[in-house]
Amino acid sequence: LAVFNEATFKKDTVPQLRERATNLLGEKIQDKDILGIKDPRMCRILPFWKPVFSNLDIVVNYVIILRSLDSITASLFRRDSIPRVKSIHLWALHMLSAFEETAGYLRAIVDYDRLVESPDIEIRKLASDLDLESDLDELALGHFCQQFIDASLNHCGTTEASTNKFTPRFISRLESATNLLTAGTLSPDSDNFATFLRETETELKGRSDLLGYIELLDRTVIRQRQALKKKQHQLEELIR
């Protein structure tokens, strides 16, 4: 939940980490014309990765996956017991970074639910948006649609999380804007959408101290859980 700033990516350890990242990615792209990287947290640290991409002189396009906020909060609570008040702010931070850091680049918006329901149509649209239609492998696409995509991937749906739970106004407004993006009635490059992003940035900066404190408490809880797990393991060894 910490709000990153320019100083975050200027720490003394960053150059060495970037060198390692450059070497690692350089190995990954050897003998490859196209490489995809999937990591939902990557948008938060694109200021770290962009110089890496530049060092390797590679063309980078972005795919932004959008999903119902209720589905996201339900999924995070089920998987990691993350309370909704935290997950909605995490979502806002990710959305802000995803759109601000990819501005000016070729990017595609994908609706998660539609991808699961109609993978063939959505992947063809994605290929078109990224100028990759000539690279589309029909056989691989058919296999992907039949073997990989499963309706159960949408296990949370949009009805599990209560819509009556409180959501800050700026997050509700941003969610409404992202819904317009997936509907194709609003462009991520429009002035209207930029207004939503500026509002989100202002609100998150105003909450930065509180969000940082929550992050500190979370890390403390994680360390305590790890210590407890270690003690439990030691106790089990003694009992044996």
Side-chain angles (χ1 to χ4, degrees):
L1 276 176
V3 179
F4 298 146
N5 53 42
E6 291 185 11
T8 305
F9 303 100
K10 292 182 179 179
K11 294 181 178 180
D12 294 339
T13 56
V14 169
Q16 183 178 3
L17 290 173
R18 276 208 180 105
E19 183 178 358
R20 289 175 58 189
T22 300
N23 292 335
L24 176 63
L25 186 56
E27 293 175 1
K28 294 284 187 182
I29 63 175
Q30 281 185 358
D31 303 322
K32 289 186 178 66
D33 294 324
I34 299 174
L35 175 70
I37 301 176
K38 173 185 173 294
D39 185 346
R41 293 156 294 193
M42 197 169 191
C43 61
R44 298 287 312 280
I45 55 172
L46 274 177
F48 169 86
W49 281 102
K50 284 180 177 178
V52 173
F53 301 148
S54 179
N55 290 341
L56 293 169
D57 194 27
I58 55 179
V59 176
V60 180
N61 301 328
Y62 295 95
V63 179
I64 300 175
I65 307 291
L66 298 180
R67 189 181 185 188
S68 158
L69 183 54
D70 279 342
S71 292
I72 292 171
T73 57
S75 178
L76 289 176
F77 183 78
R78 175 179 294 170
R79 189 187 68 189
D80 300 317
S81 299
I82 296 177
R84 188 172 187 277
V85 66
K86 177 181 177 180
S87 59
I88 59 177
H89 283 87
L90 274 173
W91 175 84
L93 285 165
H94 279 72
M95 288 296 97
L96 181 63
S97 296
F99 286 103
E100 285 194 335
E101 292 296 335
T102 61
Y105 291 86
L106 184 61
R107 55 187 176 181
I109 310 297
V110 175
D111 182 291
Y112 177 89
D113 293 327
R114 286 207 295 261
L115 177 63
V116 173
E117 293 168 1
S118 308
D120 184 87
I121 295 174
E122 293 303 309
I123 291 175
R124 291 183 188 281
K125 180 180 178 299
L126 175 62
S128 175
D129 290 344
L130 296 180
D131 295 331
L132 294 174
E133 291 173 293
S134 61
D135 296 291
L136 192 61
D137 186 324
E138 294 290 343
L139 185 62
L141 174 59
H143 182 269
F144 177 80
C145 293
Q146 294 176 10
Q147 303 295 328
F148 182 77
I149 291 292
D150 188 327
S152 64
L153 289 172
N154 198 17
H155 51 80
C156 290
T158 57
T159 59
E160 284 194 20
S162 171
T163 56
N164 296 321
K165 294 180 180 178
F166 172 74
T167 301
R169 181 173 178 271
F170 80 96
I171 291 181
S172 294
R173 282 170 53 81
L174 181 61
E175 182 186 18
S176 296
T178 58
N179 289 339
L180 294 177
L181 292 180
T182 57
T185 56
L186 181 66
S187 168
D189 301 313
S190 67
D191 291 338
N192 286 341
F193 188 65
T195 299
F196 290 110
L197 292 181
R198 285 195 298 270
E199 179 187 22
T200 301
E201 183 175 23
T202 299
E203 293 287 346
L204 289 173
K205 283 183 177 179
R207 291 166 165 77
S208 60
D209 289 344
L210 178 59
L211 296 176
Y213 180 62
I214 293 174
E215 179 70 16
L216 179 63
L217 291 178
D218 280 346
R219 292 183 182 183
T220 301
V221 170
I222 290 172
R223 286 195 297 269
Q224 290 176 339
R225 286 176 176 172
Q226 291 173 339
L228 179 60
K229 187 176 181 179
K230 183 178 180 179
K231 292 294 184 182
Q232 288 175 333
H233 178 70
Q234 291 173 343
L235 181 58
E236 290 171 359
E237 290 295 321
L238 288 174
I239 293 175
R240 291 175 186 174

